[in-house]
Amino acid sequence: MNKKPIRGPIRLLFIQTQAEMAGAQEISRLLGDGLGRERRLNGEPEFEIHHLFFYRKTSAFDRWRNVHFCLEDSPKGPFSLIAFMSKLVKMIRRIQPDVLLTFQHYGNIFGAPAGRLAGVPVIVANHVSAPATISTATRAIDKALGLMGVYDVITVNSNETWRNYQAYPERYRKHLVHVPHGFEDKSVNVGRQEARAAFGLPAGVPLIGSVARLHPLKQLDAAVEVIARRPALHLAIAGQGPDEARLRTIAQDLGVSDRVHLIGDMPPQKVGLFLAGLNVFVFPSAAETFGLAAVEAAQAGIPVVANDLAVLREVLTIDGEACALFADASNIDDLAAKIDIVFRDHQQAARMVALGRKLAGRYSVESMVDAYAGIIRNALGPGVGDAAGALGPQAAALRLPR
């Protein structure tokens, strides 16, 4: 698509599916905030940031500046889907972004075509959904969009995610760029008992916990089963989602409802306080592209026990040494045993914490923002045919060998 000269700030539109505090939304929040602080030499803002959600899942983003909601709830049935797409195109056309950044698989396959129909010059798709969460039909649509050139750039957030797309044709792969997630330091200078009191959590008990969307693929029921086998343990989970009722039923059936504490959704500013109250962070998720919550916990100084996924071993490693313990989350005995190690082996736990603190240097927000700023500038620049192949030295260095 021909790119017209831009006068004034470059208008960016971030598209997500639902408005809730989950990993993908946190990344677009950090990117929006970081890019919004970019400045030209004359002191004028370089980027103007807008966010659009397909539907309002929670009120978490209601007070954001330049936030737009297409629907109040997800579309149901073919007619409502057609009406949704029509409204989405009109909203994008009204916002008139210079660059559209789409997140998650549905954000990509609905947002990118709508952006093209609305005349957006540059579209950056972001693969932040684990393959296990994507249906065969959705993967086929995504592949077709990539081959047709609907995406100008496709970012992936880990080596493992990159490998998931290496069997795709060259016409798709040439758009791929590896940009590791950055994250904010969630460390807080608050004592454990004070942190627990802020959320009504019990003092003086061994407390394991997690921050996650309540979805079956997060396998939080495994953590509930662990505390059923360890009568002294309590479990606290921050997050919301469709699996909440099932988790409550499991806790009730196992007789541990009084030791399972579902805190609900919380803003990013409170996550660090929640983490400070935990003895162990558990992450039994069955599928991830990065595992942002586990990385945040490790860097905040909380010992992490995670499911033994290749991507989690990748991101939770510093200088070739793991900063977490890995367990087979489908084996409750193994998961419980790894949690026991944290409570029993204080020297190993301290070593994990020391290594985890170094993750901030490996995954900085500044590096992520700089990489996206380079992608956007080059994609909008004159004479750029292959934006992913012409990112400049800093951003191009993030590409992985094919």
Side-chain angles (χ1 to χ4, degrees):
M1 179 175 292
N2 293 328
K3 303 174 181 66
K4 299 178 181 178
I6 298 171
R7 292 180 173 85
I10 299 169
R11 186 171 297 170
L12 308 181
L13 176 59
F14 292 80
I15 281 189
Q16 292 272 5
T17 51
Q18 65 270 25
E20 63 179 354
M21 286 298 181
Q25 289 83 353
E26 171 71 351
I27 292 302
S28 63
R29 180 188 75 84
L30 292 173
L31 277 173
D33 288 350
L35 291 167
R37 289 192 295 269
E38 291 281 316
R39 293 292 183 268
R40 290 199 186 107
L41 293 177
N42 62 5
E44 292 297 316
E46 181 174 8
F47 299 106
E48 177 186 313
I49 309 301
H50 290 254
H51 294 271
L52 187 151
F53 295 93
F54 288 168
Y55 59 96
R56 183 187 275 106
K57 181 84 171 182
T58 71
S59 61
F61 299 90
D62 284 4
R63 296 185 180 181
W64 278 25
R65 184 182 179 190
N66 294 337
V67 65
H68 314 268
F69 301 96
C70 194
L71 302 173
E72 287 299 315
D73 200 0
S74 58
K76 306 289 193 302
F79 294 108
S80 63
L81 187 61
I82 292 170
F84 156 68
M85 282 297 292
S86 175
K87 185 175 182 181
L88 180 61
V89 172
K90 290 176 182 176
M91 290 186 73
I92 296 173
R93 190 174 288 141
R94 185 170 68 246
I95 297 167
Q96 293 187 318
D98 300 300
V99 179
L100 183 67
L101 298 99
T102 61
F103 291 81
Q104 305 183 80
H105 48 287
Y106 288 133
N108 294 337
I109 69 168
F110 290 112
R116 287 299 184 210
L117 290 172
V120 179
V122 172
I123 294 178
V124 179
N126 295 269
H127 282 320
V128 293
S129 298
T133 68
I134 307 174
S135 69
T136 301
T138 300
R139 288 184 70 87
I141 294 170
D142 169 79
K143 181 186 284 188
L145 294 176
L147 294 175
M148 290 162 50
V150 175
Y151 310 139
D152 294 293
V153 181
I154 307 168
T155 69
V156 294
N157 53 12
S158 65
N159 297 352
E160 184 65 20
T161 307
W162 175 278
R163 284 190 284 270
N164 288 332
Y165 292 93
Q166 290 314 293
Y168 279 42
E170 168 64 16
R171 271 195 302 157
Y172 188 102
R173 288 186 288 114
K174 73 178 182 178
H175 299 291
L176 290 173
V177 183
H178 177 217
V179 183
H181 280 341
F183 67 95
E184 288 181 328
D185 185 350
K186 294 295 195 296
S187 303
V188 296
N189 189 22
V190 175
R192 182 172 290 159
Q193 302 312 324
E194 182 182 350
R196 291 185 185 186
F199 299 99
L201 295 169
V205 301
L207 180 66
I208 67 174
S210 195
V211 179
R213 184 166 186 258
L214 306 188
H215 187 279
L217 276 173
K218 296 297 182 180
Q219 298 191 140
L220 294 166
D221 51 328
V224 177
E225 291 191 46
V226 165
I227 68 164
R229 301 185 187 194
R230 299 293 187 271
L233 289 183
H234 283 242
L235 169 67
I237 302 173
Q240 61 82 40
D243 208 29
E244 180 175 348
R246 187 179 74 95
L247 290 172
R248 290 189 183 278
T249 298
I250 292 170
Q252 184 175 2
D253 291 345
L254 293 174
V256 296
S257 294
D258 59 332
R259 292 190 284 124
V260 173
H261 313 276
L262 300 183
I263 307 300
D265 212 12
M266 65 178 61
Q269 296 78 12
K270 288 190 175 182
V271 170
L273 185 62
F274 173 78
L275 292 173
L278 304 179
N279 297 103
V280 183
F281 185 89
V282 291
F283 201 66
S285 180
E288 295 290 332
T289 60
F290 188 84
L292 182 64
V295 172
E296 288 179 336
Q299 196 277 325
I302 312 302
V304 172
V305 176
N307 194 15
D308 196 354
L309 302 179
V311 68
L312 295 181
R313 283 193 175 270
E314 173 191 334
V315 300
L316 291 168
T317 296
I318 292 290
D319 299 328
E321 190 172 352
C323 58
L325 292 175
F326 298 98
D328 177 0
S330 66
N331 182 335
I332 305 304
D333 288 333
D334 186 38
L335 183 59
K338 295 297 169 53
I339 292 170
D340 290 342
I341 290 174
V342 178
F343 286 104
R344 183 179 67 246
D345 191 335
H346 300 294
Q347 185 174 1
Q348 182 169 356
R351 176 65 178 163
M352 288 163 52
V353 168
L355 286 168
R357 293 288 193 187
K358 297 181 180 181
L359 287 169
R362 185 179 178 190
Y363 302 116
S364 74
V365 174
E366 292 75 16
S367 295
M368 177 178 68
V369 171
D370 286 347
Y372 272 92
I375 288 169
I376 291 164
R377 290 168 187 144
N378 282 279
L380 287 170
V384 176
D386 178 8
L391 302 180
Q394 182 176 19
L398 295 170
R399 300 188 70 183
L400 297 177
R402 291 173 184 165

